[in-house]
Amino acid sequence: MRILVLGGNRFLSRAVAAEAARRGHQVVCANRGQSGAIPPGVTTLRWDRSEPAPDELTDGEPYDAVVDVSRTPSHVRRALAAVPDAHWVFVSTVSVYADDTDPAGPGVGRLREAIDDDVDPTASVDAYGGMKVACERLVLDAVPGAAVVRPGLIVGPGDPSGRFAYWARRSEATGDVLAPGRPDDVVQVIDVRDLAAWIVTLAEERTGGVFDAVGEPLPIGDLLALCLPHARLVWVDHAFLEAEGVEPWSGPDSIPLWLPRPAYDGMLAHDAGPAIAAGLELRPVADTTHDTRGWLEADPAARIGGITLEREADLLDRWSALTP
């Protein structure tokens, strides 16, 4: 197959390009050339999608499939106009769902209002999710039988967010480790390599439909026990963390993977069953932890989010003083 990957030089899109090349496909990556190196064995061409598609994008043989991860409606419109006849796999997000308390998936979960114009996606979750809704509709309207996948939290080696890396870095820790919220709070993660492999399979098999691209939901207590098998997890109350100014989800003063409850009960609890039935294969969380730690050790510049060890120790002391 000849596969066009729009991107190909960062995290998920790079993993898709690498997997497609590994399977022997002819892979072309179109990007601005500003966000990292493409994997070996693929062809690259420069395209800033704020501009019309270059002639070299379509001068050669036709593409059998396109994989796009864009969050910008105008970029998706230009790509659809340039390559209208291929099978499309569009990577969206669970942030398209309007109600974070509800884990309902495609066809059931209520979506955010579509934002058809290009706006700053960092302005709010509404902006990011709303533009992704618009991008989904553009693809589904233009390409009969297209696939749309809505990932939750993508993790693994190369993760630029540093969210899961926070826990992978601690994987050999002993002693007390602060665990946020309640051990039965449900979370889910998906390894970037598993998601990339499935996306290539969707392209190969010309699978259509809308799927939540997620790992199996499991209690955060189980997930952290897999990530930190030698540590003693000290569970610290949601209200205490909020009162102490700890940020959820990501960032320098956050505890990654932690989300306030019940406001986010549904965000990391979607049903992985339909995606698994469509060919998604998931590796154990312990394997993702091991490989992510290996990547961190091999790349000292790798980003790790979350609070410092000193901040964690202070929080544990404060929590201990409140709990007999």
Side-chain angles (χ1 to χ4, degrees):
M1 292 180 65
R2 191 165 190 250
I3 300 177
L4 174 63
V5 178
L6 296 168
N9 52 355
R10 290 195 69 200
F11 198 37
L12 175 59
S13 65
R14 190 179 195 279
V16 170
E19 175 65 16
R22 187 191 68 80
R23 297 189 193 184
H25 298 300
Q26 181 183 356
V27 182
V28 177
C29 294
N31 56 61
R32 296 179 301 168
Q34 298 178 359
S35 301
I38 61 169
V42 310
T43 301
T44 187
L45 61 86
R46 297 289 180 262
W47 182 20
D48 183 336
R49 284 204 273 170
S50 64
E51 302 173 354
D55 291 339
E56 53 265 40
L57 183 78
T58 54
D59 277 349
E61 297 176 16
Y63 299 101
D64 298 294
V66 176
V67 177
D68 192 7
V69 300
S70 180
R71 57 190 181 184
T72 307
S74 70
H75 292 183
V76 175
R77 291 189 192 97
R78 288 191 183 93
L80 287 166
V83 191
D85 298 323
H87 178 70
W88 273 65
V89 182
F90 181 72
V91 181
S92 186
T93 170
V94 295
S95 293
V96 297
Y97 296 112
D99 186 356
D100 289 324
T101 69
D102 184 3
V108 181
R110 181 169 58 89
L111 300 182
R112 299 182 189 276
E113 290 293 324
I115 298 175
D116 296 310
D117 298 323
D118 299 352
V119 300
D120 180 3
T122 65
S124 68
V125 174
D126 283 338
Y128 173 61
M131 284 198 297
K132 280 288 196 180
V133 171
C135 293
E136 287 186 6
R137 291 179 181 176
L138 288 167
V139 171
L140 292 171
D141 288 347
V143 184
V148 169
V149 298
R150 296 170 176 166
L153 180 57
I154 308 171
V155 303
D159 175 13
S161 76
R163 287 174 290 201
F164 188 78
Y166 173 88
W167 298 107
R169 180 190 63 180
R170 311 289 300 280
S171 61
E172 296 182 3
T174 58
D176 291 348
V177 171
L178 191 157
R182 300 183 305 270
D184 59 349
D185 291 335
V186 174
V187 296
Q188 60 194 162
V189 299
I190 185 167
D191 191 296
V192 64
R193 297 163 295 180
D194 298 338
L195 179 55
W198 183 50
I199 287 170
V200 176
T201 297
L202 294 176
E204 290 173 335
E205 299 180 356
R206 301 184 69 85
T207 302
V210 181
F211 303 91
D212 285 341
V214 294
E216 293 281 12
L218 71 166
I220 192 172
D222 293 353
L223 183 143
L224 293 185
L226 291 168
C227 291
L228 297 93
H230 311 297
R232 187 178 82 90
L233 299 174
V234 180
W235 293 95
V236 177
D237 181 81
H238 288 288
F240 173 83
L241 294 175
E242 291 176 342
E244 289 289 330
V246 179
E247 295 293 328
W249 194 235
S250 65
D253 198 31
S254 72
I255 297 181
L257 288 187
W258 171 53
L259 288 168
R261 307 299 173 122
Y264 290 92
D265 273 350
M267 184 178 175
L268 296 181
H270 286 260
D271 182 8
I276 292 171
L280 173 63
E281 297 181 0
L282 301 169
R283 73 190 67 205
V285 171
D287 290 356
T288 299
T289 303
H290 175 270
D291 295 346
T292 303
R293 183 180 177 88
W295 162 65
L296 292 172
E297 291 174 344
D299 184 0
R303 178 178 173 185
I304 302 174
I307 59 174
T308 64
L309 294 177
E310 292 77 14
R311 170 77 158 139
E312 178 189 34
D314 180 64
L315 289 168
L316 286 173
D317 286 344
R318 291 172 181 272
W319 176 249
S320 177
L322 294 175
T323 54

